Amino acid sequence: LFDALADMAALALERVRLVEDLDRAERAAETGRLRQALLTSISHDLRTPLASVLGAATTLRDLDAALPREAKADLLATIIAESERLNRFIANLLDMTRLEAGAVAANLTAQDVAEIVDTALRRMDRILAHHRVVLDLPASLPALRLDPVLFEQVLVNLLDNAAKYAPEESTLTVAGEADGAHVRLRISDEGEGLPPADVERVFDKFYRVPKGDSVRAGTGLGLAIARGFVEAMGGTLTAANRADRLGAVFTLVLPVPPEGRRPDRATRAAA
Ligand code: ADP
């Protein structure tokens, strides 16, 4: 009986090994496909803005004297905007590489959320120029332990998306509230929102919601990076569609350090 059992166990082990090998082969193929798709997307994302920069710069060089002043200003604006886009893209690639290498260590210090939101909004000034931004932060938000560099990047990625996926002249809202142990920050827009089946997938690396129309530039990395950074600071980042109207809402939940917690009703009642 013992021998029979041992044989069966060996057979079962063998089968597990076979399935594992198959899994590994499939994963390798999947990784290969991803890498290929990534390379195609990266070259597209690098070359599109570069082509605009080159085109505008060449026109400026060749037609300089013949160009009216406004045309020159337009060409320069294109060069600046497209260079900024390239810059953000490369920064995203570097951030993702650091996350994957486990090289992102959050340097947590006491920070004023409102101040960092303000810095991020100022940094995004030009990109948000065609949207209405509503800020709804209570003055009394407790200080949080955050890495200001990572936190600002999270906000920039979320605001960049809101500007990109919601129509011009629509309203983007940054709203915050504290509930004792957490601060909840919501960034919502009035775009078309997310297909319900995709609210979790949008955080996958390189995932972009398939669109019929011309695809807006992007890498599918912004949200993966944002979530990675938020988790490195002990928080969570989730996506949903707004209940009140069309649009997406991204919710950041960040822990309030014990010394910053004000007794809420439950703990006061217990005391
Ligand atoms: P990217 O914007 O570069 O494609 P992200 O990781 O930032 O990459 O976003 C992944 C996908 O999630 C986007 O391609 C888009 O389809 C969807 N998405 C992100 N933010 C929004 C938003 N505010 N409204 C609608 N769709 C969004």
Side-chain angles (χ1 to χ4, degrees), residues 161-162 164-165 189 193-194 202 207-209 211 218-224 248 250:
N161 279 347
K164 203 157 65 171
Y165 299 110
D189 62 56
L194 303 160
V202 289
Y207 185 76
R208 311 195 68 210
V209 174
K211 291 263 162 63
T219 52
L221 287 177
L223 289 176
F250 288 84

Side-chain angles (χ1 to χ4, degrees), residues 8-90:
M8 270 164 69
L11 221 72
L13 266 180
E14 186 56 29
R15 206 162 294 161
V16 167
R17 228 169 274 139
L18 269 175
V19 170
E20 277 178 357
D21 283 351
L22 214 70
D23 257 14
R24 215 169 296 135
E26 266 173 20
R27 251 180 288 136
E30 176 68 9
T31 311
R33 273 195 296 277
L34 263 179
R35 196 161 292 162
Q36 193 52 47
L38 168 64
L39 275 180
T40 312
S41 134
I42 289 182
S43 12
H44 175 263
D45 283 315
L46 285 175
R47 291 171 93 171
T48 312
L50 253 185
S52 306
V53 170
L54 260 177
T58 311
T59 309
L60 271 175
R61 184 196 60 194
D62 295 346
L63 301 178
D64 184 44
L67 285 173
R69 190 200 288 260
E70 308 82 73
K72 280 189 200 169
D74 277 354
L75 289 168
L76 282 172
T78 301
I79 291 175
I80 292 170
E82 295 297 311
S83 304
E84 281 174 347
R85 198 167 120 193
L86 265 178
N87 227 345
R88 280 202 306 283
F89 175 66
I90 292 165

Side-chain angles (χ1 to χ4, degrees), residues 7-264:
D7 279 352
M8 270 164 69
L11 221 72
L13 266 180
E14 186 56 29
R15 206 162 294 161
V16 167
R17 228 169 274 139
L18 269 175
V19 170
E20 277 178 357
D21 283 351
L22 214 70
D23 257 14
R24 215 169 296 135
E26 266 173 20
R27 251 180 288 136
E30 176 68 9
T31 311
R33 273 195 296 277
L34 263 179
R35 196 161 292 162
Q36 193 52 47
L38 168 64
L39 275 180
T40 312
S41 134
I42 289 182
S43 12
H44 175 263
D45 283 315
L46 285 175
R47 291 171 93 171
T48 312
L50 253 185
S52 306
V53 170
L54 260 177
T58 311
T59 309
L60 271 175
R61 184 196 60 194
D62 295 346
L63 301 178
D64 184 44
L67 285 173
R69 190 200 288 260
E70 308 82 73
K72 280 189 200 169
D74 277 354
L75 289 168
L76 282 172
T78 301
I79 291 175
I80 292 170
E82 295 297 311
S83 304
E84 281 174 347
R85 198 167 120 193
L86 265 178
N87 227 345
R88 280 202 306 283
F89 175 66
I90 292 165
N92 264 348
L93 280 182
L94 289 176
D95 284 343
M96 197 67 225
T97 313
R98 282 170 59 218
L99 265 176
E100 302 247 279
V104 173
N107 181 15
L108 302 177
T109 51
Q111 298 289 333
D112 179 355
V113 175
E115 223 169 81
I116 307 179
V117 169
D118 204 52
T119 314
L121 284 173
R122 262 186 285 121
R123 193 170 136 197
M124 297 296 286
D125 213 24
R126 208 195 303 265
I127 289 151
L128 296 174
H130 303 290
H131 289 82
R132 210 164 75 85
V133 179
V134 171
L135 202 56
D136 180 13
L137 294 179
S140 58
L141 280 183
L144 298 182
R145 287 181 57 75
L146 296 172
D147 182 318
V149 178
L150 298 188
F151 188 58
E152 190 184 315
Q153 192 57 48
V154 170
L155 295 173
V156 163
N157 288 9
L158 295 176
L159 291 167
D160 191 34
N161 279 347
K164 203 157 65 171
Y165 299 110
E168 293 193 350
E169 310 309 328
S170 65
T171 302
L172 314 180
T173 311
V174 181
E177 64 186 15
D179 73 355
H182 297 97
V183 162
R184 218 173 288 272
L185 208 62
R186 288 196 181 82
I187 295 173
S188 43
D189 62 56
E190 297 178 337
E192 56 193 83
L194 303 160
D198 281 344
V199 290
E200 196 40 44
R201 284 189 80 183
V202 289
F203 293 100
D204 288 353
K205 250 186 316 173
F206 308 123
Y207 185 76
R208 311 195 68 210
V209 174
K211 291 263 162 63
D213 60 350
S214 64
V215 183
R216 270 155 287 195
T219 52
L221 287 177
L223 289 176
I225 292 166
R227 178 174 268 179
F229 282 5
V230 171
E231 288 175 353
M233 295 183 285
T236 59
L237 174 63
T238 51
N241 284 308
R242 294 175 70 159
D244 56 338
R245 61 174 81 228
L246 215 55
V249 51
F250 288 84
T251 306
L252 270 152
V253 179
L254 299 156
V256 176
E259 64 273 17
R261 288 182 200 169
R262 255 167 299 156
D264 60 23

